[in-house]
Amino acid sequence: MNMAVQSFIEIGLLADIPRLGARCVRTPEGRIAVFRTADDEVYALEDRCPHRGGPLSQGIVHGSSVTCPLHNMVFSLKTGEAEGADEGQVRTYPVRIEGERLLLHVDALRALGA
Amino acid sequence: MTEKLVIIGNGMAPGRMLEHLFECAPDAYRVTIFNAEPRVNYDRILLSPVLSGEKSFEEIVIHGDGWYIDHDITLYKGHKIVEIDRAAKTVRSEHGEVASYDKLVIATGSAPFIIPVPGKDLAGVLTYRDLDDVEAMMLAAKSRGRAVVIGGGLLGLEAAAGLQAQGMDVTVIHLMPTLMERQLDPAAGYLLQRELESRGISVLTKASTRAIHGETRVQSVELEDGTVIPADLVVMAVGIRPNAQLAGEAGLEVNRGIVVDARMQTSDPDILALGECAEVGGATYGLVAPLYQMANVAARHLAGDIGPVFADQSTATRLKVTGVDLYSAGDFAEGEDREEIVLRDASAGVYKRLVLKENRIIGAVLYGEAADGPWFFDHIRNRTDISDMRETLIFGQAYQGGAPLDPTAAVAALPDDAEICGCNGVCKGKIVGAIGEKGLTSLDDVRAHTKASASCGTCSGLVEQLLSVTLGDAYNPQAVKPMCGCTDLGHGDVRRLIKAKELKSIPAVMQELEWKSSHGCAKCRPALNYYLVADWPQDYADDYQSRFINERVHANIQKDGTYSVVPRMWGGVTSATELRAIADVVDKFDIPTVKVTGGQRIDMLGVRKEDLPAVWADLGKAGFVSGHAYAKGLRTVKTCVGSEWCRFGTQDSTGLGIRIEKFMWGSWTPAKVKMAVSGCPRNCAEATCKDVGIICVDSGFEIHFAGAAGLDIKGTEVLGLVKTEDAALEHIVALVQMYREQGHYLERIYKWAKRVGIDEIREQILNDPERRKAWFDRFVFSQKFAQVDPWSERVSGKDKHEFNPLATLTLEAAE
Ligand SMILES: Cc1cc2nc3c(=O)[nH]c(=O)nc-3n(C[C@H](O)[C@H](O)[C@H](O)COP(=O)(O)OP(=O)(O)OC[C@H]3O[C@@H](n4cnc5c(N)ncnc54)[C@H](O)[C@@H]3O)c2cc1C
Ligand code: FES
């Protein structure tokens, strides 16, 4: 897919992600985790915990948060910020739902590459 | 720029220093620690409760292994440093490990003093300093023989009380006329002696040791007056001597301790020393409060802030012997310019004495009722003029200002800078502030956030009173611990209500039990999922999104995000075909590490997630099923070879192990379950530290349970002896089912057994055949739904989405 032309790019269907679950998108800049909440909201975060690099896509999703599978830090899916007593920030990416299709914002991706 | 910080010694002082350092300069240093003791940093103060059996070692660890990993610290356990080369700026351990430093911190603590009498080197003569000493004492105590403790100071008396609690017959020999003469005046020393004697500990004062006798082991202690006291164990606790030799050999200035300035710097600008080994202003210290002050100063110094300096402070002591209430602070020697106030209540066994100088308290000794200790100590440190309250001073805080106050009101009346926790130097204001700001509601919370009462614990009562002053009715110390922030109910209530109200799905539980969050959290969801699976095997559909990743993908996540795969090898038995199949899989998928596990299985580590289904497909073709090495469920049944091959074997332990494993695999349990079957009491399968174990004997099968060999180490309890293999299987299965229905999520069998009681379990499983049968039948029923190989399910497409990326994007022309 050529990302230079469009800034929102289709990555799959909403139904591809289980509720309270996540899937990954591979990019040249690393993995991005796309989460789906119980209310069908979708969020995209870098799939790397700032603590020790845990794959957040493998964590348990609850409310609009995810718990890292390695040492249980909790991050807000909305802001990427660590919750509770911990500190840390994960990069977030805009995603849009159009009908059934999921679109990921690519400028954000490129900014990461730059 | 990151500099190299090397620390010699891993005791309480440098541990605290690092905490401060990581707070004020998190990235300034890359830290390497060498510790002669082969373990992490623990609370040495609490060795006595470990000795008396009131606490386990795990409960007194200050920094677990994870903490060192989190801070990227290299910790060499069991490496004693034997040389500091100041020219090359390196240190060398006895094993030849060399590390170079930019800054070096020496924190070697001190060593027990050994009195130079004949026989001091005999086996059975110990000192009291570290965990090894405690373990040696506990081992010796198993004989229930006689112990002699030389030294009637703080350490000696704590050792004596601990050994007595372990069942030994104890005599304390003390050189001085009264006990603990450094902390107590003669009157209090006398009361203490009487109390110890009434508990059955013999105390000999003014007694000097002439020799210790024995062939190879100690047999008796002889005093100067010729008295001979039989002894199977001798503990010397006669004082400590700072460990300054290493520093001296490196040419640093040493006196009694390593000489440092008020900023903890030694005579070499790149070397600091702190803790018991350091000498500041001509004094060395042996209590943690001043050492923690040194830790703070040293951390700031290392962070580049040379402002703070160490200042001598008075210290307070308590004796940590359960049931003895004793407090001593400051200076209480008599003198021309001093006055004293004494209160005695003979019937209640209370003695209190305050020493005054120029209308200020300079010393306090309290025996029998020590709650006012910190209040007096506060006045000592603040140099309060007590003229106005002189008349009632000795009655304590409650009597100041009219009517007696209740203890909570007394705490409420303390000023904000009153010290609550002496060990960790935490004042009232800090605790109250943390309770408010961080929303703390329990003693544990306060410990986690402020460290108050996290060391010796004697101020726990004060902290609880502060909680109740600050939170009012909202503080309920007896409250059951809620499962998590989503509910006020504890695990027990939730389990009970799931059954009573027949709740059969996670949403139903959350609705009916009024969950406070919409979809729970990572703590309660896996627990609820387990409870529902266990209680409604037929009706409940497992919720995969509520399982931890390992149980979702049926492999163990590793620190780099790859997985490890362990196929089941029934009873630990394998074959050429199986091994060949494993070898092929390893080659085909380029699996970097293959390792044999402690449970007699083969572990393939470093498998990419995408490869998992294909790996399982190949293993499945060779007849393997998942080994559930990731599961809160039946893990492994370890066996020895038994009567088929072993000349000592009494029964077919291998066959029984395989039978149990084939019967029970696939079942989910509150926490992992590991089993073992040994063919004879030599116990080669190590069945006596497993969750469930069997020792085969000539007359049948001895069933064990509730052992542990992980963070906790605990031998098993014996359930009983049964005659046949069938009976053994029935008992074990029934026991595990009882645990499955009653255990709290993540609670291992030994903890569950402690909670419900060994006797209750024995009653239901061993003595009541009907109950046993009912447990057994329910297990068999649930297995109908559980014994499905998760690997083959996934090979045939289940949860396919777990293993593939949603999309792969490339950045064409974007650069
Ligand atoms: C049973 C007991 C009860 C106590 N109760 C109290 C109490 O109630 N209140 C109180 O305030 N204090 C109490 N103390 C004293 C308190 O525990 C000590 O003051 C404190 O732990 C000292 O800390 P440290 O870091 O200076 O040294 P330590 O904790 O002794 O640590 C020194 C470490 O350095 C290691 N080491 C030594 N030489 C080398 C070398 N060459 N290379 C590598 N490593 C080396 C040692 O193995 C040791 O682990 C008690 C002590 C004991 C033993
Ligand atoms: S890697 Fe995420 S919490 Fe440690």
Side-chain angles (χ1 to χ4, degrees):
Chain A
M1 279 182 263
N2 185 336
M3 301 176 50
V5 264
Q6 346 143 252
S7 59
F8 267 102
I9 182 159
E10 180 171 343
I11 51 172
L13 302 180
L14 180 64
D16 293 336
I17 309 179
R19 282 212 174 109
L20 292 171
R23 298 283 303 272
C24 292
V25 176
R26 274 207 197 129
T27 78
E29 311 303 341
R31 278 192 325 262
I32 295 177
V34 187
F35 297 90
R36 175 177 174 188
T37 68
D39 316 325
D40 289 346
E41 282 165 16
V42 176
Y43 299 98
L45 271 66
E46 186 182 356
D47 193 17
R48 239 188 91 77
C49 176
H51 177 226
R52 297 189 91 84
L56 295 175
S57 57
Q58 321 286 293
I60 288 186
V61 181
H62 44 98
S64 55
S65 310
V66 60
T67 297
C68 177
L70 291 195
H71 317 94
N72 298 327
M73 270 177 74
V74 181
F75 296 90
S76 157
L77 296 176
K78 294 187 179 163
T79 64
E81 257 171 73
E83 297 177 348
D86 296 313
E87 275 173 34
Q89 170 75 47
V90 191
R91 222 191 132 80
T92 61
Y93 301 90
V95 237
R96 227 166 57 204
I97 312 180
E98 262 177 24
E100 281 294 291
R101 300 184 311 143
L102 297 178
L103 304 171
L104 185 68
H105 194 279
V106 164
D107 285 351
L109 248 189
R110 207 163 320 108
L112 176 73
Chain B
M1 193 191 65
T2 313
E3 289 198 295
K4 284 177 291 195
L5 173 65
V6 171
I7 303 176
I8 308 177
N10 192 32
M12 299 177 70
R16 175 55 62 90
M17 179 194 80
L18 285 176
E19 285 179 12
H20 289 305
L21 183 61
F22 293 141
E23 241 169 56
C24 56
D27 301 314
Y29 293 97
R30 169 88 181 78
V31 181
T32 303
I33 307 176
F34 289 88
N35 195 29
E37 272 187 77
R39 51 188 70 93
V40 292
N41 177 24
Y42 60 95
D43 196 335
R44 199 175 297 286
I45 298 185
L46 294 183
L47 282 174
S48 296
V50 173
L51 175 62
S52 64
E54 288 160 83
K55 277 195 180 342
S56 68
F57 177 66
E58 285 63 38
E59 289 174 87
I60 71 165
V61 165
I62 297 177
H63 296 136
D65 283 305
W67 186 82
Y68 296 92
I69 296 170
D70 289 350
H71 292 95
D72 218 6
I73 298 171
T74 310
L75 170 62
Y76 288 94
K77 300 180 189 172
H79 277 252
K80 181 174 174 166
I81 292 297
V82 289
E83 187 191 27
I84 303 171
D85 182 339
R86 287 166 55 204
K89 294 181 93 170
T90 57
V91 298
R92 183 168 57 81
S93 83
E94 59 188 336
H95 305 305
E97 196 70 44
V98 173
S100 68
Y101 62 84
D102 296 308
K103 291 277 181 201
L104 177 68
V105 169
I106 308 179
T108 43
S110 50
F113 187 76
I114 314 264
I115 38 176
V117 291
K120 65 179 170 42
D121 298 322
L122 285 171
V125 180
L126 301 173
T127 55
Y128 189 13
R129 180 72 195 170
D130 58 24
L131 182 70
D132 298 315
D133 297 328
V134 170
E135 284 175 345
M137 283 190 242
M138 290 173 88
L139 192 69
K142 288 222 162 86
S143 70
R144 306 249 182 275
R146 295 169 203 253
V148 168
V149 176
I150 306 181
L154 184 89
L155 285 193
L157 296 183
E158 290 190 7
L163 289 170
Q164 201 211 16
Q166 296 286 354
M168 293 194 91
D169 189 353
V170 182
T171 304
V172 175
I173 300 177
H174 190 51
L175 191 60
M176 305 305 283
T178 56
L179 295 175
M180 285 182 72
E181 75 287 345
R182 303 227 332 252
Q183 292 87 11
L184 299 182
D185 57 14
Y190 161 77
L191 285 169
L192 176 60
Q193 177 169 350
R194 217 181 49 183
E195 165 68 28
L196 295 175
E197 284 171 344
S198 76
R199 296 174 176 211
I201 296 177
S202 314
V203 179
L204 299 177
T205 53
K206 291 188 260 184
S208 174
T209 309
R210 178 189 290 164
I212 301 171
H213 298 294
E215 294 290 316
T216 49
R217 281 196 64 84
V218 48
Q219 286 170 338
S220 65
V221 175
E222 185 188 339
L223 304 182
E224 287 294 351
D225 68 4
T227 316
V228 173
I229 310 162
D232 307 296
L233 169 70
V234 172
V235 178
M236 280 200 201
V238 291
I240 51 173
R241 168 187 281 171
N243 274 327
Q245 199 190 349
L246 177 70
E249 285 165 2
L252 294 173
E253 187 187 344
V254 300
N255 221 337
R256 183 172 148 73
I258 305 168
V259 176
V260 294
D261 65 13
R263 296 183 177 84
M264 300 299 120
Q265 182 174 313
T266 64
S267 54
D268 179 329
D270 290 323
I271 305 183
L272 278 65
L274 82 162
E276 286 188 348
C277 63
E279 179 177 324
V280 202
T284 54
Y285 295 85
L287 289 172
V288 290
L291 306 188
Y292 280 172
Q293 199 198 340
M294 294 183 190
N296 192 15
V297 171
R300 302 288 205 82
H301 183 160
L302 286 172
D305 171 7
I306 52 162
V309 293
F310 178 84
D312 182 54
Q313 48 174 313
S314 43
T315 48
T317 324
R318 274 174 192 262
L319 181 69
K320 296 179 302 301
V321 171
T322 308
V324 176
D325 211 2
L326 179 164
Y327 191 92
S328 131
D331 176 357
F332 42 82
E334 286 171 42
E336 288 281 303
D337 54 347
R338 299 175 176 192
E339 299 166 85
E340 58 178 28
I341 306 178
V342 176
L343 173 83
R344 290 179 204 261
D345 178 344
S347 59
V350 170
Y351 169 81
K352 299 184 183 184
R353 173 162 166 255
L354 299 177
V355 180
L356 309 180
K357 184 175 167 183
E358 291 159 8
N359 286 327
R360 296 190 162 79
I361 312 177
I362 60 165
V365 180
L366 310 178
Y367 185 89
E369 199 184 87
D372 279 317
W375 187 71
F376 291 128
F377 187 45
D378 231 47
H379 289 314
I380 298 179
R381 304 218 307 178
N382 295 334
R383 305 183 34 77
T384 319
D385 184 330
I386 49 82
S387 316
D388 290 346
M389 47 182 173
R390 194 174 169 122
E391 295 306 307
T392 51
L393 187 64
I394 192 82
F395 300 108
Q397 185 178 19
Y399 285 87
Q400 307 314 314
L405 301 169
D406 69 65
T408 313
V411 170
L414 286 176
D416 268 359
D417 63 354
E419 185 170 81
I420 302 290
C421 173
C423 296
N424 293 311
V426 190
C427 65
K428 176 181 162 187
K430 183 159 176 199
I431 301 174
V432 173
I435 294 174
E437 280 160 36
K438 307 224 167 81
L440 313 182
T441 56
S442 70
L443 191 59
D444 281 346
D445 285 352
V446 174
R447 284 185 182 147
H449 281 90
T450 69
K451 295 217 153 47
S453 81
S455 289
C456 79
T458 39
C459 62
S460 305
L462 285 175
V463 174
E464 294 204 278
Q465 283 163 9
L466 274 181
L467 276 160
S468 85
V469 169
T470 317
L471 298 175
D473 290 344
Y475 177 61
N476 177 3
Q478 266 84 48
V480 253
K481 210 166 165 245
M483 257 172 94
C484 63
C486 306
T487 175
D488 294 329
L489 298 170
H491 283 269
D493 282 331
V494 171
R495 285 215 84 165
R496 189 174 48 73
L497 290 167
I498 286 177
K499 282 222 172 135
K501 298 188 166 218
E502 302 206 6
L503 306 175
K504 298 190 178 178
S505 70
I506 291 184
V509 175
M510 291 184 176
Q511 179 59 34
E512 293 300 320
L513 304 186
E514 300 181 353
W515 239 241
K516 291 187 268 181
S517 62
S518 55
H519 301 288
C521 70
K523 270 193 184 152
C524 59
R525 286 229 317 270
L528 293 181
N529 188 54
Y530 166 71
Y531 295 154
L532 294 165
V533 168
D535 290 345
W536 314 111
Q538 184 171 20
D539 307 321
Y540 178 67
D542 206 315
D543 175 21
Y544 270 73
Q545 297 310 334
S546 293
R547 286 193 177 271
F548 288 117
I549 184 66
N550 289 352
E551 292 185 352
R552 217 152 68 213
V553 301
H554 300 276
N556 291 56
I557 194 164
Q558 303 298 315
K559 67 176 202 184
D560 62 353
T562 64
Y563 288 80
S564 85
V565 167
V566 182
R568 210 167 264 291
M569 273 179 185
W570 309 102
V573 178
T574 184
S575 67
T577 326
E578 285 189 350
L579 291 173
R580 213 168 273 125
I582 288 180
D584 287 343
V585 166
V586 170
D587 283 345
K588 179 165 163 193
F589 296 94
D590 221 1
I591 297 175
T593 301
V594 183
K595 178 176 184 318
V596 176
T597 71
Q600 301 179 333
R601 306 298 141 101
I602 290 177
D603 192 357
M604 290 165 259
L605 293 123
V607 182
R608 285 176 298 267
K609 193 178 184 194
E610 307 82 272
D611 288 342
L612 285 171
V615 166
W616 295 332
D618 282 12
L619 290 171
K621 275 182 223 141
F624 283 114
V625 298
S626 164
H628 290 93
Y630 47 81
K632 314 272 174 267
L634 176 74
R635 293 272 176 101
T636 51
V637 182
K638 191 172 173 178
T639 67
C640 68
V641 287
S643 56
E644 200 190 339
W645 293 96
C646 176
R647 66 203 164 99
F648 298 116
T650 60
Q651 312 276 358
D652 177 12
S653 48
T654 321
L656 177 56
I658 294 173
R659 186 171 164 201
I660 294 172
E661 194 165 345
K662 291 207 159 158
F663 198 87
M664 298 187 75
W665 73 273
S667 58
W668 299 104
T669 42
K672 62 187 168 189
V673 172
K674 294 181 173 179
M675 302 195 185
V677 185
S678 280
C680 78
R682 284 170 191 78
N683 191 15
C684 295
E686 295 158 348
T688 50
C689 60
K690 293 288 182 281
D691 295 294
V692 180
I694 294 184
I695 306 277
C696 300
V697 290
D698 283 323
S699 55
F701 304 83
E702 196 175 75
I703 300 177
H704 289 243
F705 71 111
L711 281 174
D712 285 334
I713 300 188
K714 183 182 168 303
T716 44
E717 306 286 338
V718 179
L719 182 77
L721 182 76
V722 299
K723 293 213 165 52
T724 64
E725 239 190 63
D726 289 348
L729 186 73
E730 184 177 299
H731 280 74
I732 289 175
V733 166
L735 173 75
V736 170
Q737 181 65 15
M738 184 171 172
Y739 165 59
R740 293 184 72 226
E741 293 188 29
Q742 297 183 349
H744 297 171
Y745 190 61
L746 300 185
E747 179 180 57
R748 293 286 290 265
I749 288 196
Y750 70 101
K751 293 203 170 146
W752 160 73
K754 191 168 165 203
R755 184 163 57 77
V756 303
I758 305 286
D759 290 340
E760 176 63 23
I761 296 170
R762 212 174 270 139
E763 193 49 45
Q764 297 206 21
I765 303 296
L766 193 71
N767 302 340
D768 186 342
E770 259 171 55
R771 293 284 266 290
R772 178 169 68 237
K773 188 72 175 47
W775 292 118
F776 179 84
D777 289 345
R778 284 212 290 283
F779 183 87
V780 173
F781 177 72
S782 83
Q783 281 299 75
K784 276 206 269 186
F785 311 94
Q787 275 193 341
V788 184
D789 177 29
W791 287 358
S792 70
E793 270 188 313
R794 271 148 203 85
V795 169
S796 43
K798 190 169 190 298
D799 297 330
K800 200 165 64 218
H801 63 83
E802 272 287 1
F803 305 98
N804 300 312
L806 182 63
T808 300
L809 304 182
T810 49
L811 277 180
E812 268 175 49
E815 310 290 301

